Amino acid sequence: MENPVENKGVYMVAKTKVTEVQVYRGTATVTRCGEAELKAGRNILYVSGMTKSASADSFKLKFPEKIRAVNIQIVGIDALGENEEKETDRISKQIAEIGYKIETCNMMLDLRKKNGDFSNRTNIGVDEQERIMNALPEQIMSLHKELDELSEKQQKLTDELDKAKAEEEKPIIMAELTADEDMKVPFVLQYQENRCSWIPKYEISYDNDRSPLSVSMKAQISQSSGEDWKQIKVTLYTGNPSVSKELPVMPTVELSLYEPPKAASVRGKGMMRAMAQESVMADGAAVGEVLMGAAMNSAMMDMAAVKMDEAEVSEEETMTAFILPNLRDVLSDTDGNIAELQSFKVNAVYNVLSIPSVDNRCYLTAEVVASDWPLPPADASVYIKDTFAGTVYVDAGADTEKIMISLGQDERLTVVRTEAPKKLQDVFLKNTKKSVSKISIKLINNSSEAVNVLLKDQIPVSTDKAIVVEQVQLSDGIVDDETGEVKWNLLAEPGKTENFELEYNVSWPKDKKMSENRRRVMSRTSGSRFCNTCGARFSGSFCPECGSRA
């Protein structure tokens, strides 16, 4: 191909400025605008502004219809040749000139100091010595001041040189254009920026059991292109322009018989499950450490949270767009780019959840219909009457009709669970063994108001026909035969104590040994799901980290 710098024509470099960014969950479309002064005939235009992290094959140049393009390609800074002085060369010359001036000032400073030394000079009179000595301090101070100013300019130019070098490392687009006449034309450069994304963040505010939850959806925009985008239009999209380049293929389902393998070590996957379970428990414990209520300083009573203009919501063909109001700055390499998207209220059923077999603390929860939560999965900051109560993960798309949101620890209730020692009995006529288990639960409402409570416990579930679980006493609790979960929904009256008895028997063949495996099951209403293979949290049917099926 013919070298573009050897072609005859008008050469020029056009700079561009970011004016609009469309941010997807994992990338962004950047729109830059510029202006070029074209001459009649052939023009070679070099367009700068594209970043090193941009997709090289994604750029588009747009000109008015009357401009025709002969050739467009990405080149390096060396393609400019002698047609345009590089910014780094220009700045380097300025730095060199300042270096000469600094060297001259230092020489003058040494001469002034030597001129004030009269120890070996006998041909100068006292009056002349006095005149030189009087003028010397001002001359030296002036030189020092000039040196400081030159050093400051030199440092600024050095910083500019570093930025210019970074700019010259970026790709440059060479466009060979033809125009019918001399004209100044605007143009647009668009490309995909790989180092830009956004994630949703929620704020959930609870006031009382009679009011709906107040939900605010915010966006945290991140970009590390190395360039600060100032005063631009921003639109956020809930998806990505192209998640996969290939259409899905449905595999053939084959059936075959096999011999079940012997029991193997579960150290690998079991460990990952344990890590996932510990993560869930850690999240709950972190929230549990936060007190439900806190007295506000009286001086803060008249204050209100700063309100931001909300985004305009537009339903596109394949995703939702949030068009942010006003122009804004999106700075590089910072997590402080926060935007308000939308706020709404959602009806919720409030309960104090207590599972004393797992945790003796109680938690205030809000149960929400999943379809009433039109937002993607994300972490949410929870506030109890403007007091921060912790962070939870909310996912309304986790194949559940309802989601349960933790609002933090509730100290209005005290729950005491006592489990009596198991009694073993031999049933001779049936040649079986039987264990008798008794559990007592005492629930105390310490507050001055009635509280809705969801109390849970459990009885074991048999996975073998030879093992029989007999329910003896449930205190009107509702049992789930599949999981063994026993729950009580009640209204705890103020200052009163409620007592619950849970009793069950387990029988099994006398000549067999029975094992008890406590398998943790993720709550079907929590929305939080973890991969059994790698432990990553996700929603949907497949784990995005390892591809395992849920």
Side-chain angles (χ1 to χ4, degrees), residues 209-424:
D209 290 351
R210 299 172 298 279
S211 302
L213 285 177
S214 296
V215 182
S216 174
M217 180 183 180
K218 300 179 184 295
Q220 181 174 321
I221 309 168
S222 302
Q223 65 102 348
S224 55
S225 66
E227 175 187 29
D228 291 339
W229 300 334
K230 298 292 188 71
Q231 293 300 288
I232 61 171
K233 179 182 178 182
V234 180
T235 303
L236 307 179
Y237 289 88
T238 54
N240 281 309
S242 179
V243 177
S244 175
K245 294 182 179 179
E246 298 180 359
L247 292 175
V249 177
M250 184 171 60
T252 302
V253 178
E254 299 177 345
L255 300 178
S256 62
L257 297 176
Y258 77 103
E259 291 292 332
K262 295 181 180 180
S265 171
V266 295
R267 181 176 179 84
K269 291 186 178 180
M271 184 177 296
M272 298 311 298
R273 292 193 190 98
M275 291 172 62
Q277 292 155 8
E278 289 175 5
S279 175
V280 172
M281 296 302 295
D283 287 346
V287 174
E289 294 297 329
V290 183
L291 297 179
M292 174 190 165
M296 294 183 63
N297 190 315
S298 59
M300 299 294 292
M301 288 299 182
D302 295 331
M303 299 294 181
V306 176
K307 298 294 183 182
M308 300 173 64
D309 292 336
E310 294 186 5
E312 176 186 344
V313 182
S314 174
E315 295 295 335
E316 306 290 340
E317 287 81 0
T318 59
M319 61 189 78
T320 301
F322 297 97
I323 305 170
L324 303 188
N326 309 317
L327 301 179
R328 62 179 59 233
D329 296 345
V330 181
L331 306 181
S332 181
D333 301 307
T334 177
D335 293 329
N337 300 309
I338 304 296
E340 188 87 23
L341 297 187
Q342 64 180 135
S343 58
F344 61 93
K345 294 184 182 296
V346 59
N347 292 324
V349 176
Y350 301 102
N351 284 298
V352 175
L353 176 65
S354 175
I355 310 178
S357 62
V358 179
D359 190 343
N360 59 6
R361 293 169 292 193
C362 299
Y363 297 93
L364 180 63
T365 64
E367 190 177 60
V368 177
V369 177
S371 59
D372 292 341
W373 189 279
L375 303 176
D379 290 321
S381 299
V382 178
Y383 292 85
I384 305 294
K385 296 181 179 179
D386 293 331
T387 299
F388 180 68
T391 301
V392 296
Y393 183 76
V394 183
D395 182 4
D399 303 326
T400 180
E401 293 182 0
K402 295 182 179 180
I403 54 177
M404 185 175 289
I405 303 172
S406 173
L407 301 179
Q409 185 179 344
D410 195 322
E411 296 186 342
R412 292 176 293 179
L413 300 179
T414 300
V415 180
V416 179
R417 182 181 188 272
T418 304
E419 187 170 355
K422 292 183 179 180
K423 295 181 179 180
L424 291 177

